[in-house]
Amino acid sequence: MKEILLNDNWLFHKENEVEGCVTLPHTYNAVDGQSGISMWRGNGFYKKEVLFSEEDLKEKIFVIFAFLVSIGFTLYGMIPTLFSGDLNILHVLSIIMSIFGFIGTWTLAIQWQHTFKANGVQNVAGILVAGIQGVYGEMFKSCYYLSTEFIGHYNWKKRRNDNGELVVDKKFSLKDVLIAVFFWTFGLGFISYWMGGQKIVLDAITNGLSFTAQQRQVKGHLDGYYIWLVVDLLSFILYLSIGNPIVAFSYLGMVAQGFVGIIIWKKSQGQ
C-alpha cells in the first residue's frame, strides 16, 4: 500500500500574518512563555497543498466506483428478501454471510490485520447456508476457510515489516496453483457426490479454485487474487442456480473488490 507522509511543509497562518513553513505536530505558542512575551491567543489555521498525479486520481475514481458497484450488488441481493417480509433461517444466514463477506473482502484488500475475524463470521454463516442447500463442496470450503483464518492471521503478522506493512509475494507459481486446483477439485467433487449434493461439477470446480486461492492468499501471495476473480464469478452462477440471490449477488460484488485488491497488493512491498 502506498504511504504518503503529510507532516512537512505546512503553512501556519496567525491572524492575517503568514508565519511560514512548519512541521506537524506543531504548537503555535510553544515558546511564548520562554521569550518573555505573553502567550498569544487568537485565530490561526494550517494550510498545505497536496498534488496527486493523474494516475493517482484515476485510481481513486476506480476504487470509489468499485466500492459503489460492490455495495450495490450486495444490497440488490438482500433488499427484495428484506422487504418481502418472508424471512426464514436461510435468508437470515445468507444476509449475515453477505454483509460479513463484504466487510471481509474490502478489509482484505487494504491488508487490515483483523480482516480474518470478519471473514471468520462469514465462514460460520457459509457452513450453515451451504449445508442447508446441499452444496457440500461449499460447506467443506467454508470449514477450511474458517481454519485458515487463524493461520492467515499468524502468517500476516510474520510477513509485516518494521513499519507494519504486509510484504506481498508477487511471484506467480503456476505449478503450485495447478497441482492444488487438481487435487482440491477432485477431492471435493468426490465428497459432494458421495453425500448426494447439488451441482456437483460446478461445486467441485468452484471450490477447487477457492481452496487454492485461500491457500495462496493467507500466505501473502498476490496470485490468489487472480484466482478469486474466477471463483467469485463461478460462485455467483452456483448460488443463483440453487435459488439464493442474496449470496449470489454478494459474490458478484466481490469481483469489483477483487480488482481493487489487485491494485493495492501490486503496490505493496514485495519479494
Side-chain angles (χ1 to χ4, degrees):
M1 188 179 297
K2 185 177 180 181
E3 183 178 294
I4 302 174
L5 299 178
L6 300 175
N7 304 70
D8 298 331
N9 300 319
W10 285 80
L11 287 177
F12 174 65
H13 296 255
K14 181 193 281 188
E15 299 292 354
N16 294 321
E17 177 186 352
V18 178
E19 288 288 305
C21 288
V22 297
T23 298
L24 300 185
H26 172 256
T27 304
Y28 59 82
N29 59 3
V31 296
D32 287 359
Q34 302 172 31
S35 59
I37 62 175
S38 60
M39 298 287 283
W40 179 80
R41 297 288 187 274
N43 296 321
F45 64 91
Y46 296 88
K47 179 180 178 182
K48 180 181 178 69
E49 187 174 290
V50 180
L51 299 177
F52 293 99
S53 68
E54 185 178 347
E55 182 182 350
D56 288 332
L57 181 60
K58 287 179 179 178
E59 185 179 297
K60 284 174 173 57
I61 292 171
F62 177 79
V63 170
I64 293 170
F65 174 75
F67 181 82
L68 294 175
V69 168
S70 64
I71 200 170
F73 277 125
T74 303
L75 292 174
Y76 181 78
M78 292 191 297
I79 287 174
T81 303
L82 288 171
F83 282 93
S84 70
D86 184 29
L87 283 177
N88 56 37
I89 187 64
L90 177 62
H91 293 148
V92 172
L93 289 169
S94 296
I95 289 169
I96 293 171
M97 184 179 173
S98 180
I99 291 172
F100 280 92
F102 176 85
I103 295 169
T105 48
W106 274 100
T107 53
L108 183 74
I110 62 173
Q111 301 170 354
W112 188 46
Q113 183 65 34
H114 299 290
T115 184
F116 299 102
K117 296 175 182 177
N119 282 308
V121 176
Q122 183 209 17
N123 299 151
V124 173
I127 292 167
L128 298 172
V129 168
I132 291 170
Q133 297 209 271
V135 277
Y136 298 115
E138 279 283 309
M139 185 179 74
F140 283 105
K141 177 202 75 175
S142 294
C143 292
Y144 169 73
Y145 282 4
L146 186 60
S147 66
T148 58
E149 304 302 350
F150 300 98
I151 298 169
H153 184 79
Y154 174 72
N155 281 341
W156 276 29
K157 270 191 171 182
K158 287 200 306 180
R159 292 189 69 89
R160 292 191 183 275
N161 61 22
D162 294 338
N163 296 322
E165 300 167 324
L166 186 68
V167 179
V168 174
D169 189 336
K170 299 181 181 181
K171 299 187 295 292
F172 182 76
S173 178
L174 182 61
K175 180 183 175 182
D176 291 346
V177 168
L178 290 178
I179 291 173
V181 170
F182 178 82
F183 282 104
W184 284 125
T185 298
F186 277 92
L188 291 169
F190 174 77
I191 291 172
S192 187
Y193 176 78
W194 178 64
M195 296 183 69
Q198 295 192 67
K199 309 291 181 182
I200 294 171
V201 175
L202 180 58
D203 187 23
I205 293 171
T206 301
N207 292 297
L209 290 165
S210 295
F211 269 60
T212 306
Q214 180 78 351
Q215 188 179 40
R216 302 294 291 170
Q217 203 152 49
V218 296
K219 293 180 179 179
H221 292 270
L222 173 65
D223 54 28
Y225 257 114
Y226 294 101
I227 306 170
W228 276 126
L229 294 178
V230 180
V231 169
D232 293 336
L233 288 171
L234 291 175
S235 296
F236 166 71
I237 296 169
L238 174 63
Y239 274 97
L240 204 60
S241 69
I242 60 173
N244 192 333
I246 298 173
V247 175
F249 281 99
S250 73
Y251 274 112
L252 201 56
M254 289 179 192
V255 175
Q257 297 162 335
F259 283 109
V260 173
I262 289 171
I263 290 171
I264 294 174
W265 280 50
K266 271 188 172 182
K267 288 190 168 186
S268 300
Q269 288 197 18
Q271 59 185 36

